[in-house]
Amino acid sequence: MEQLDVVGLCGSLRAASLNRLALYLAGELMPRGMCLDVLEIRDIPLFDGDVLAKGLPASVAQLRERIRRAHGVVLATPEYNFSIPGVLKNTLDWASRGDDQPFALKPVAILSASPGPLGGARVQYDLRRVMLYMNAQVLAKPEVFIGGAVGKFDADGRCNDEPTRKFVGDQMLSFQRWIGAVKRMTNPA
């Protein structure tokens, strides 16, 4: 079986954000044959059409190429003002430019964590809409909304909540299958 190379993007820049912890949890719970490489988006500049006209900044070109090479992408993001954090939306805006944008037909899984009870549900629906426009192949189910997330991770950042571990693990198992299904749909033998 081919090793599945998956990249992760976090919609928060904080090193200890709940969503970064959730992203690491997803990597920990991936089935055998999958590995997660969490990419940093801190160096992605603010989107500027004048800059784009001169060519992609190096950080954007590197990010796009890494996404292109990956078998799939896991997006973990908080909800800011009922929607997508600016830093993540900015990253997606840069990645989406050009006919060769790397999210086209790319399998994507989305999860979110929040101190509140909804677990970031609203951001996921906005993010799914953006990814649909980018022609990404977003895993529909199971959805993962980690509500009350502050109490589900210990001081070392480890998830100590078994139901959360189970549904994140279930999503990663489904994502493994989804990557295979998208590959078969886009490259029939």
Side-chain angles (χ1 to χ4, degrees):
M1 174 185 245
E2 175 184 28
Q3 177 78 7
L4 295 179
D5 172 39
V6 177
V7 296
L9 297 175
C10 183
S12 171
L13 297 178
R14 288 182 52 239
S17 79
L18 292 170
N19 285 278
R20 190 168 301 277
L21 296 178
L23 188 56
Y24 290 141
L25 176 63
E28 173 191 337
L29 298 175
M30 285 181 169
R32 189 169 30 172
M34 291 178 81
C35 63
L36 179 69
D37 179 17
V38 177
L39 306 180
E40 284 302 325
I41 61 174
R42 184 176 299 280
D43 295 331
I44 302 297
L46 291 175
F47 182 78
D48 181 336
D50 292 337
V51 173
L52 177 61
K54 297 174 186 170
L56 290 173
S59 61
V60 173
Q62 290 167 0
L63 178 84
R64 285 168 47 101
E65 182 54 32
R66 185 63 184 97
I67 292 168
R68 186 180 332 289
R69 286 193 332 261
H71 294 101
V73 179
V74 177
L75 301 174
T77 186
E79 178 181 301
Y80 290 176
N81 297 319
F82 284 14
S83 194
I84 304 167
V87 68
L88 180 59
K89 181 64 168 68
N90 180 67
T91 299
L92 296 174
D93 288 343
W94 270 114
S96 72
R97 294 311 189 250
D99 293 336
D100 65 338
Q101 69 92 358
F103 279 101
L105 302 177
K106 183 71 63 180
V108 172
I110 299 172
L111 60 128
S112 55
S114 169
L118 297 180
R122 292 172 291 234
V123 68
Q124 286 200 29
Y125 297 123
D126 282 353
L127 187 53
R128 286 173 187 277
R129 215 172 50 226
V130 169
M131 299 314 295
L132 175 68
Y133 181 78
M134 293 170 65
N135 203 25
Q137 301 300 300
V138 179
L139 176 69
K141 292 183 180 180
E143 294 177 307
V144 172
F145 310 104
I146 306 171
V150 172
K152 295 180 179 175
F153 293 89
D154 66 21
D156 295 323
R158 180 158 169 77
C159 181
N160 54 22
D161 182 69
E162 285 308 313
T164 299
R165 293 180 67 79
K166 171 145 181 30
F167 63 72
V168 171
D170 288 348
Q171 185 190 44
M172 291 301 101
L173 181 58
S174 293
F175 190 46
Q176 180 186 46
R177 294 176 184 145
W178 181 239
I179 291 170
V182 170
K183 184 177 181 179
R184 287 187 300 278
M185 287 186 293
T186 57
N187 299 308

